[in-house]
């Protein structure tokens, strides 16, 4: 209805990426970038950050999301995406820090706990990874949380528990 509605293009891009349609995601985020002037300051940070995330320009991604969360510290999506930018840069301590802030903002968010578990595993903190995976499973059982749990247990040399956790994937089909 409004070909200049930048926020709609951003949402279409995120949805396309979630559906595995990378080319569509790139097309829509570029359209959103053409209409930044029609967005609020907060939306501009999010849009540019997402653009750089998709474009694999992780230093710029960190810059945009860092600016976003500096001005809007309760923005859990900004913290979550900042964690992913750091993760792609292999800066796992910073990824854990951002993911932990997202959990503090949304303590009942399963995705936030999954991300903190995931980045904790890469940082070598398997105990935190296990705890956060269990929390995510309590909130909303998912394959990803179940995998994180098994990997955290492997990292702690809990082989029988890890095997049981991986067998737990059967309930997801």
């Amino acid at each position: 209805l409004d070909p200049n509605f930048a926020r709609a293009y951003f949402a279409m891009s995120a949805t396309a990426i979630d559906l595995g349609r990378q080319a569509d995601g790139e097309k829509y985020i570029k359209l959103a970038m053409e209409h930044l002037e029609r967005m609020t300051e907060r939306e501009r940070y999010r849009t540019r950050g997402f653009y750089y995330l998709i474009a694999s320009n992780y230093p710029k991604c960190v810059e945009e999301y860092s600016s976003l969360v500096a001005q809007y510290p309760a923005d859990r999506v900004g913290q979550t995406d900042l964690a992913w930018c750091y993760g792609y840069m292999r800066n796992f301590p910073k990824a854990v820090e951002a993911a932990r802030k997202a959990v503090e903002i949304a303590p009942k968010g399963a995705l936030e706990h999954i991300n903190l578990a995931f980045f904790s595993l890469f940082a070598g903190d398997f105990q935190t990874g296990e705890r956060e995976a269990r929390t995510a499973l309590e909130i909303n059982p998912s394959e990803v949380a179940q995998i994180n749990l098994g990997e955290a247990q492997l990292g702690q040399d809990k082989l029988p528990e890890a095997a049981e956790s991986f067998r737990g994937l059967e309930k997801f089909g």
Side-chain angles (χ1 to χ4, degrees), residues 10-120:
F10 175 89
M12 291 169 68
S13 174
T15 300
I17 296 294
D18 286 347
L19 292 172
R21 295 175 20 208
Q22 185 73 20
D24 286 340
E26 291 171 9
K27 175 178 80 172
Y28 291 126
I29 198 64
K30 287 176 184 173
L31 287 168
M33 292 288 286
E34 290 175 12
H35 302 288
L36 287 174
E37 74 284 351
R38 298 200 53 184
M39 294 182 166
T40 67
E41 180 180 46
R42 187 175 186 178
E43 290 170 333
R44 285 192 297 270
Y45 282 124
R46 272 192 178 179
T47 301
R48 287 189 304 256
F50 194 67
Y51 171 80
Y52 291 125
L53 184 60
I54 291 172
S56 303
N57 186 340
Y58 305 120
K60 290 293 286 181
C61 181
V62 165
E63 182 182 315
E64 290 296 332
Y65 282 119
S66 292
S67 295
L68 170 67
V69 299
Q71 290 189 326
Y72 306 95
D75 191 317
R76 73 169 170 77
V77 174
Q79 292 289 358
T80 297
D81 288 349
L82 178 59
W84 281 101
C85 298
Y86 279 125
Y88 282 118
M89 292 175 68
R90 307 299 188 254
N91 187 339
F92 296 112
K94 286 292 212 178
V96 167
E97 180 184 324
R100 190 175 312 282
K101 287 179 183 174
V103 166
E104 289 169 6
I105 295 165
K108 294 185 181 184
L111 182 60
E112 287 74 16
H113 288 281
I114 287 170
N115 287 336
L116 180 53
F118 180 79
F119 291 122
S120 294

Side-chain angles (χ1 to χ4, degrees), residues 102-103 106-114 131-142 145:
V103 166
K108 294 185 181 184
L111 182 60
E112 287 74 16
H113 288 281
I114 287 170
R131 183 184 66 245
E132 295 301 323
R134 287 186 187 284
T135 301
L137 286 166
E138 288 172 16
I139 295 168
N140 186 22
S142 72

